[in-house]
Each structure stands twice: as structure tokens, then as C-alpha cells.
Amino acid sequence: MDITTFSALAEPNRLRIVELLRNGPLTVGEIADRLGLRQPQASKHLKVLLEAGLVEVQPEANRRNYILRLEPFQALDSWLESYRKVWDERFDNLEIYLQKLQSNEKKQN
């Protein structure tokens, strides 16, 4: 997993931009308006996301629409999958432990 992805997503405004772009392409102006940022701030965040390979630009007439790239998020999902198995196992063990505690409490009352 590329550390650049994590670095780019670690900043809250960039993560909010990714969340916005999940619903479809937007221009820098639309992103700035929706997040309450000035356009130069939004542009800087988009540049980081672009350099990290998380977004791409689709020119359309005189507009530059930013869209999410699927591939880096698929790679992130694949990387997280190995951790999901560990988490599921640990949550299952926690559930069994809590059920035993509740059973013991009922027996004592």
C-alpha cells in the first residue's frame, strides 16, 4: 500500500473532498463552495490528491471536472481486507467473552 494515499487522505479537507467526489465530478469552484474554502485552498488540496493519484481531471469545454480514480481505492480496500479478517475474529472473541460475562452475572443474581 502506497503511503502517499494515506498522507493525502490524512488531511481532513482532502478527505472531505474525496467524500464529495463520491457523488460525481465537481469543479474546483463547486468543491470550494460546498466546503466553505477559498478557491486557492481547494486547488492546493486537489493538487495533492491529483499527485497522489486519487483524482483525475476531465476537461469539459472551459471547465475542469475532478473525479475519483477507482484503482487507488480498490488497492486500499484490498490492503484493508487482511485487517478485516483479524478484526472480525477479535470482535467474535469479544462477543463470546461478553456473553460469558453476562451469563455469569445472571447466575450470580
Side-chain angles (χ1 to χ4, degrees):
M1 187 69 238
D2 187 4
I3 193 74
T4 309
T5 300
F6 290 112
S7 296
L9 295 175
E11 204 285 327
N13 284 316
R14 290 195 287 268
L15 187 57
R16 291 171 55 206
I17 290 171
V18 167
E19 290 295 320
L20 280 177
L21 293 176
R22 287 177 60 197
N23 297 320
L26 294 170
T27 64
V28 66
E30 293 167 331
I31 291 168
D33 288 344
R34 292 184 190 184
L35 295 181
L37 299 172
R38 293 188 342 259
Q39 191 164 339
Q41 290 173 305
S43 292
K44 285 182 182 181
H45 290 304
L46 285 164
K47 182 180 178 186
V48 172
L49 293 170
L50 190 62
E51 289 172 353
L54 297 172
V55 299
E56 62 185 46
V57 180
Q58 284 186 332
E60 182 181 305
N62 63 342
R63 296 169 47 113
R64 291 171 47 94
N65 292 314
Y66 288 85
I67 62 167
L68 291 178
R69 291 188 63 244
L70 185 59
E71 297 83 4
F73 293 99
Q74 288 174 328
L76 180 59
D77 184 55
S78 295
W79 182 79
L80 287 171
E81 184 60 33
S82 63
Y83 291 95
R84 282 188 198 105
K85 292 173 186 173
V86 171
W87 295 335
D88 286 343
E89 184 179 314
R90 289 184 180 177
F91 283 132
D92 289 344
N93 290 338
L94 177 60
E95 183 178 2
I96 292 166
Y97 175 74
L98 292 174
Q99 287 173 350
K100 286 179 184 178
L101 283 179
Q102 287 176 341
S103 177
N104 289 340
E105 281 183 10
K106 288 179 184 179
K107 288 178 185 177
Q108 291 177 358
N109 291 333

